Amino acid sequence: MNQIVKAYKPMWSLNHAISLMGWDFETYMPSKGTEERGVADSQLHLLHKDLLLNKDFVGLVESAKKLEGLNDLEKGIVRVLNREITKQLKIPKELTEAESLERIRGNMTWRMAREKSDFMMYKPHLEKMIDIKKQIAEKIGYEKHPYDALLDSFEEELTVDELDNVFGDLTPRLQKIIKKLVDTGSPFLKESKLAKSNYDIQRVDELNHDILTILQYDMKRFRMDVSTHPFTETMSLNDVRITTRYEGIDFKKSISSTIHEAGHALYDLQCDQSLSMTPLQGGSSLALHESQSRFWENIVGRSLPFVQLIAPLIRKQVTFANRATDDELFLYFNNINADYIRVDADEVTYNLHIALRYEIEKKIFGDELSVSEIPEFWNDRMEQLLGVRPNKDSQGVLQDTHWSSGLFGYFPTYTLGNLVSALIVSKMRKDLKDYEVEIRRGNFKPIREWLRLKIHRYGSIYAPKALLNKTLNEGYNPDYFVTYIETKYLAS
Ligand code: MG
């Protein structure tokens, strides 16, 4: 196993460089550097693939597969590498190249099409990408549904059957909750005037850094910069970077983005150092990663004790909020608004956006929906699910970048992340009796330590479902999330 880890180090180093380049591309690279950066990036990816599929390396992994008496860590290394090798071997080079080419062209056209709200402009690229993805799904193989092959590439062992159960249960329950909120004239539905004033970007930047200090981030292993779409990039377990966004209006969006990305970062920062530079470094899956970001952003960050904790900082840095009461700030952070755009959605309506994308992707890969039919189907279903109908395609089918980048099967991991975040708080409250008191006092040590012990330290030793089963004794069960939402929004 030492041999494998040693032979893996050049691949890890390439990933390290690719991550740093990716971070730089989104933050500080001069805009004309795009072309050459694209070449360097794809060349490093090819080099990585050559190293991974090198006969000697594949041979090492193959013989390790036959060994008996491996411990969990060793099994994890074999599992992760075998998954990667198998996938790379199944997809022919021509398809990989076709996809990366289409990703660049499609994404560029999508940007223009979204600006003009012109679906027809983007349509040929979407058709091409779907065609490539269908071929890839066939090459990867599946038992029941072609979409299963794509789901599994983002979330190990995830299937249509499983997601049908999740959304079949979750969607009507969320719709019922929204109806109740509307029927009772809930205060959460009233838009706060705090959303409509312009803020001083420099001062909200200070506020975000103050919040990171409260959350006890070690700035010797972590940093925060600015980008249009916030993200987290892990260079190594001792160099994890996030970005946040400043639109100049509706300051909660900036604060929420900061806390969300910081939640992603904590997962990798608290991974056991013994996994550093191995294939097991970093989180187990996209859904588990999202469970961490959503736990901090929503469950902690939008809770009353947390809002009370940061309220004095807000009043200090956001001048027009200097007289807002704790309760007004709490309602502002938790305003519910059924609207078109997923990324701006509140925690009650958010998963209905994902239900819509899941349904459409499943139909696309089940050959039940043609590309021409997507915009209309999108608008009809959005009206049924959320009660609003997009007036133009930029508010509907063109709003997200995922499809233009070939990310089919990715969206459902967002909902699974939300479900797991609620599962986590339910289990955590049983162990940490003073959970809310500690948040109000700004003592996050017990929460961080709980997350480290139950999830973070394991990195990718276990597949996501195996880890949930092992340490939380549960799966992707929507009950916890529905209970969390009902308690927070309907009980008062
Ligand atoms: Mg995220």
Side-chain angles (χ1 to χ4, degrees), residues 166-221:
V166 166
F167 286 109
D169 181 21
L170 181 65
T171 306
R173 291 168 84 181
L174 288 175
Q175 286 184 289
K176 224 181 256 173
I177 292 172
I178 294 170
K179 186 169 183 304
K180 240 184 223 167
L181 288 166
V182 173
D183 289 350
T184 57
S186 163
F188 289 105
L189 296 174
K190 196 169 166 272
E191 202 191 350
S192 163
K193 56 182 188 304
L194 294 171
K196 292 173 193 157
S197 297
N198 293 304
Y199 60 80
D200 181 330
I201 289 177
Q202 222 170 333
R203 294 183 72 174
V204 171
D205 188 52
E206 264 174 55
L207 172 57
N208 278 329
H209 278 97
D210 288 346
I211 291 171
L212 291 175
T213 306
I214 287 179
L215 292 171
Q216 290 144 356
Y217 279 80
D218 176 0
M219 299 312 271
K220 291 198 177 89
R221 303 170 61 212

Side-chain angles (χ1 to χ4, degrees), residues 128-184:
K128 182 92 199 279
M129 185 56 97
I130 288 172
D131 179 54
I132 292 169
K133 284 291 171 181
K134 280 183 177 174
Q135 292 182 53
I136 288 177
E138 290 306 320
K139 294 288 180 192
I140 294 175
Y142 49 85
E143 265 175 44
K144 281 189 174 169
H145 199 291
Y147 188 38
D148 287 345
L150 302 178
L151 288 171
D152 175 81
S153 66
F154 290 110
E155 196 67 22
E156 209 166 337
E157 297 170 345
L158 184 63
T159 63
V160 163
D161 279 351
E162 208 168 5
L163 286 174
D164 279 348
N165 283 333
V166 166
F167 286 109
D169 181 21
L170 181 65
T171 306
R173 291 168 84 181
L174 288 175
Q175 286 184 289
K176 224 181 256 173
I177 292 172
I178 294 170
K179 186 169 183 304
K180 240 184 223 167
L181 288 166
V182 173
D183 289 350
T184 57

Side-chain angles (χ1 to χ4, degrees), residues 217 221-222 237-240 265-271 273:
Y217 279 80
R221 303 170 61 212
F222 171 88
L237 295 184
N238 292 302
D239 179 0
V240 184
L266 189 66
Y267 194 166
D268 290 352
L269 287 166
Q270 295 210 109
C271 175
Q273 290 281 338

Side-chain angles (χ1 to χ4, degrees), residues 230-232 260-261 264 286 289-291 293-294 297 410 414:
F231 65 91
T232 300
H260 178 100
E261 300 306 330
H264 278 302
L286 286 173
H289 240 294
E290 194 69 3
S291 77
S293 55
R294 297 294 267 185
E297 175 195 356
Y410 192 111
Y414 292 136

Side-chain angles (χ1 to χ4, degrees), residues 30-146:
S31 59
K32 286 207 169 165
T34 315
E35 184 74 34
E36 290 84 355
R37 180 57 57 83
V39 174
D41 184 68
S42 71
Q43 288 296 317
L44 290 189
H45 273 105
L46 284 175
L47 217 54
H48 187 277
K49 188 172 174 166
D50 285 348
L51 290 174
L52 182 76
L53 299 184
N54 170 286
K55 274 205 187 90
D56 294 341
F57 188 71
V58 174
L60 280 176
V61 177
E62 282 301 317
S63 38
K65 269 161 77 177
K66 294 179 200 122
L67 292 176
E68 275 173 47
L70 294 179
N71 62 31
D72 284 7
L73 185 142
E74 293 166 336
K75 280 184 206 156
I77 290 178
V78 174
R79 187 190 97 257
V80 167
L81 289 175
N82 185 52
R83 235 174 94 77
E84 225 183 304
I85 290 169
T86 311
K87 204 171 85 181
Q88 295 279 9
L89 283 176
K90 280 180 177 173
I91 305 172
K93 214 174 156 196
E94 305 80 65
L95 270 180
T96 313
E97 279 171 6
E99 190 192 344
S100 56
L101 208 61
E102 187 47 42
R103 202 181 290 149
I104 295 164
R105 291 180 184 153
N107 190 266
M108 264 167 47
T109 315
W110 165 77
R111 276 168 206 261
M112 289 188 284
R114 186 177 65 162
E115 226 160 84
K116 295 188 172 133
S117 197
D118 181 358
F119 180 73
M120 292 311 283
M121 188 176 166
Y122 170 55
K123 185 176 164 251
H125 288 280
L126 184 56
E127 275 167 344
K128 182 92 199 279
M129 185 56 97
I130 288 172
D131 179 54
I132 292 169
K133 284 291 171 181
K134 280 183 177 174
Q135 292 182 53
I136 288 177
E138 290 306 320
K139 294 288 180 192
I140 294 175
Y142 49 85
E143 265 175 44
K144 281 189 174 169
H145 199 291

Side-chain angles (χ1 to χ4, degrees), residues 248-270:
I249 193 160
D250 204 357
F251 65 91
K252 72 169 182 290
K253 287 184 184 172
S254 178
I255 294 176
S256 297
S257 294
T258 302
I259 301 176
H260 178 100
E261 300 306 330
H264 278 302
L266 189 66
Y267 194 166
D268 290 352
L269 287 166
Q270 295 210 109

